Amino acid sequence: MKAPRLGIAFVPTHSPESLRALATGAEAAGLDDLWVWEDCFKQSGLTSAAAALAWTDRLRVGLGLMPAPLRSTAITAMEVATLGRAFPGRFVPGVGHGVQDWMEQAGVRAASPLTLLREHTVALRALLAGEEVTTSGRYVNLDRVRLDWPPVERVPLWLGGVGPRSVALAGELGDGLILANAYTPTEVRAIADAASSAARDAGRTGLDVQATVIAATGRDAQERVDREVPLWGREAGIGIGAAGDARAVADAVLAMAHAGATAVAIQPTADEPDLAGFVRFLGREVRPLVVAG
């Protein structure tokens, strides 16, 4: 098994002004990735990604996820292309159909979220490839749209979702699948297998899978993880997250890799008392164990 990419997740329980130190600290610590979120109505994922890319030189920055109902396909293509050209090889955008309650609040809820996501993804990929796109769909309508500045280097487009149809769509159309942050390795294995099966049925291979591990270290690590997991809709004590020393966290990462994840992001708890120190711990102590397997 190839060692997964190891990154850190910047979730919106942490303030926007803490992003710069987290991004530069992650790069200095030798982590592979930084994953930013776009949860309603907290922080802009694209703005966070752009800032993190500008503050670093090597770090790959992933964005999970941009809700398709909130962003027009043409604007999304323009923004992704700009970052793809400015920071070639370092930006991984992700799109999804959004949390439907939030989409309702924003006044953009679609009657068929999966139809919207399919139309959005197909058109977005064509635009990023430099094609002129004319399409008249149920939700996406474009008339001779072509980007003046498409990416020079191909930008991977990842999809996210929870339900079986969303996962299958990610396998069919996406370069990767972005999972939610509160899954056990067993659940990740089932989802990754389903997405990979859909990819094979579509004649595609090499699907990446990103998983997240909620983690804490120190004397009260388990208590902090147990407080964090219910904030994301799951029960504590069912095998979600990792608490303890570097070996415990590395083993949780490797369990996700064995379940099919090619990239694993560590999510610090909202009450992490030393975010900078936690990033150094991941880079200096956890990463070598993950690489060694």
Side-chain angles (χ1 to χ4, degrees):
M1 180 195 71
K2 183 180 179 181
R5 297 181 65 94
L6 182 63
I8 190 162
F10 179 69
V11 295
T13 50
H14 296 277
S15 66
E17 58 268 26
S18 66
L19 175 58
R20 182 168 190 164
L22 184 69
T24 57
E27 181 159 271
L31 296 181
D32 301 303
D33 298 333
L34 168 72
W35 288 87
V36 298
W37 285 26
E38 186 164 86
D39 272 3
C40 298
F41 299 93
K42 298 173 175 65
Q43 298 171 20
S44 163
L46 270 167
T47 303
S48 296
L53 287 163
W55 289 327
T56 56
D57 297 310
R58 176 195 57 80
L59 200 67
R60 188 178 76 167
V61 177
L63 198 178
L65 296 155
M66 293 178 283
L70 281 176
R71 299 180 177 277
S72 79
T73 305
I75 288 293
T76 302
M78 291 162 59
E79 292 175 323
V80 169
T82 298
L83 291 181
R85 289 186 71 103
F87 306 100
R90 294 181 54 212
F91 181 44
V92 179
V95 295
H97 52 57
V99 176
Q100 297 311 295
D101 287 346
W102 290 341
M103 299 303 100
E104 181 78 28
Q105 285 181 271
V108 294
R109 182 168 183 165
S112 179
L114 283 177
T115 299
L116 168 55
L117 183 56
R118 176 181 291 278
E119 292 180 0
H120 179 78
T121 302
V122 170
L124 180 57
R125 190 181 290 286
L127 289 169
L128 293 174
E131 299 175 17
E132 180 178 281
V133 178
T134 295
T135 183
S136 180
R138 182 174 178 182
Y139 297 103
V140 177
N141 295 278
L142 301 171
D143 181 17
R144 295 169 296 157
V145 175
R146 185 196 298 270
L147 297 178
D148 281 8
W149 298 100
V152 174
E153 183 176 318
R154 184 179 183 276
V155 176
L157 186 60
W158 292 29
L159 275 68
V162 175
R165 292 189 299 165
S166 300
V167 170
L169 186 66
E172 177 189 349
L173 298 180
D175 294 303
L177 168 65
I178 300 175
L179 299 178
N181 61 334
Y183 284 126
T184 66
T186 300
E187 291 167 333
V188 168
R189 165 53 66 193
I191 297 170
D193 285 349
S196 296
S197 177
R200 288 192 298 272
D201 289 346
R204 307 176 65 247
T205 58
L207 183 72
D208 280 306
V209 176
Q210 186 268 347
T212 298
V213 174
I214 298 170
T217 190
R219 289 182 300 173
D220 60 346
Q222 190 62 61
E223 290 81 0
R224 288 169 47 218
V225 169
D226 288 345
R227 287 196 299 268
E228 184 78 14
V229 169
L231 299 178
W232 304 98
R234 301 301 298 275
E235 296 179 10
I238 61 172
I240 294 173
D245 60 9
R247 183 73 264 172
V249 177
D251 285 347
V253 172
L254 292 170
M256 289 298 192
H258 282 292
T262 58
V264 179
I266 301 298
Q267 177 182 321
T269 60
D271 59 359
E272 171 56 52
D274 181 9
L275 196 56
F278 186 70
V279 172
R280 290 193 296 271
F281 161 75
L282 294 178
R284 296 175 183 177
E285 298 184 45
V286 174
R287 188 173 186 276
L289 296 175
V290 171
V291 172

